[in-house]
């Protein structure tokens, strides 16, 4: 068994969850915040059989697109970085981690 952890843009989250549910995946949604942009994103936890991991990733890929976002100046974030100028960063489609599940039980 594997745990797929996917960080997705809020705007894609409804479509991704719909697609995963349509393909009979179990999904848990966590409201999270990106460390750099400090913007809300969504982290999905999907526990699934090893042979369904690729199908799971395809569902996510199908619904997540890249976006360009502006990072406010470092001064605004209070990071003490050199540049105070806003920067453009490319965000997404999705950031996906796949980890082994040592033990899985529903009690
Ligand atoms: P944020 O931390 O808000 O990052 C937004 C975007 O800023 C990132 O998009 C990336 O383009 C850039 N960025 C952030 N930290 C960076 C760094 N240390 N070096 C270079 N560029 C950086 P994505 O890579 O698509 O990530 C979107 C969101 O996914 C991130 O939001 C964060 O919440 C999460 N994420 C991405 N990679 C991660 C990782 N290795 N570990 C944990 N969370 C991650």
């Amino acid at each position: 068994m594997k745990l797929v952890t996917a960080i997705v843009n809020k705007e894609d989250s409804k479509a991704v969850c719909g697609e995963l549910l349509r393909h009979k995946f179990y999904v848990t949604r966590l409201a999270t915040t990106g460390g750099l942009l400090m913007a809300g994103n969504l982290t999905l936890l999907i526990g699934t059989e090893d042979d369904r991991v690729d199908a799971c990733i395809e569902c996510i890929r199908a619904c997540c697109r890249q976006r360009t976002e502006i990072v406010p100046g470092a001064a605004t974030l209070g990071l003490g970085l050199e540049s105070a100028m806003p920067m453009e960063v490319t965000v997404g489609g999705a950031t996906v981690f796949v980890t082994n599940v040592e033990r899985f039980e529903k009690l």
Side-chain angles (χ1 to χ4, degrees):
M1 176 144 199
K2 301 279 195 241
L3 178 66
V4 179
T5 305
I7 303 165
V8 305
N9 193 293
K10 250 185 179 173
E11 288 173 37
D12 294 327
S13 61
K14 203 173 165 193
V16 180
C17 287
E19 187 70 358
L20 288 166
L21 294 174
R22 202 167 66 79
H23 285 83
K24 311 263 185 276
F25 287 102
Y26 287 88
V27 186
T28 295
R29 304 158 42 128
L30 305 173
T32 45
T33 305
L36 184 72
L37 293 178
M38 305 285 192
N41 51 29
L42 221 82
T43 298
L44 307 178
L45 303 181
I46 305 136
T48 189
E49 298 78 22
D50 291 27
D51 62 358
R52 296 197 71 213
V53 168
D54 288 343
C56 174
I57 291 173
E58 283 316 308
C59 288
I60 298 166
R61 192 196 307 280
C63 302
C64 292
R65 62 178 186 84
Q66 279 195 344
R67 294 175 173 79
T68 304
E69 310 255 355
I70 303 295
V71 184
T76 319
L77 294 173
L79 296 177
L81 301 177
E82 297 271 315
S83 166
M85 296 297 290
M87 283 183 321
E88 211 176 70
V89 292
T90 304
V91 186
T95 300
V96 178
F97 304 89
V98 180
T99 46
N100 285 319
V101 175
E102 205 166 294
R103 179 166 164 171
F104 170 71
E105 290 188 35
K106 287 194 172 180
L107 306 175

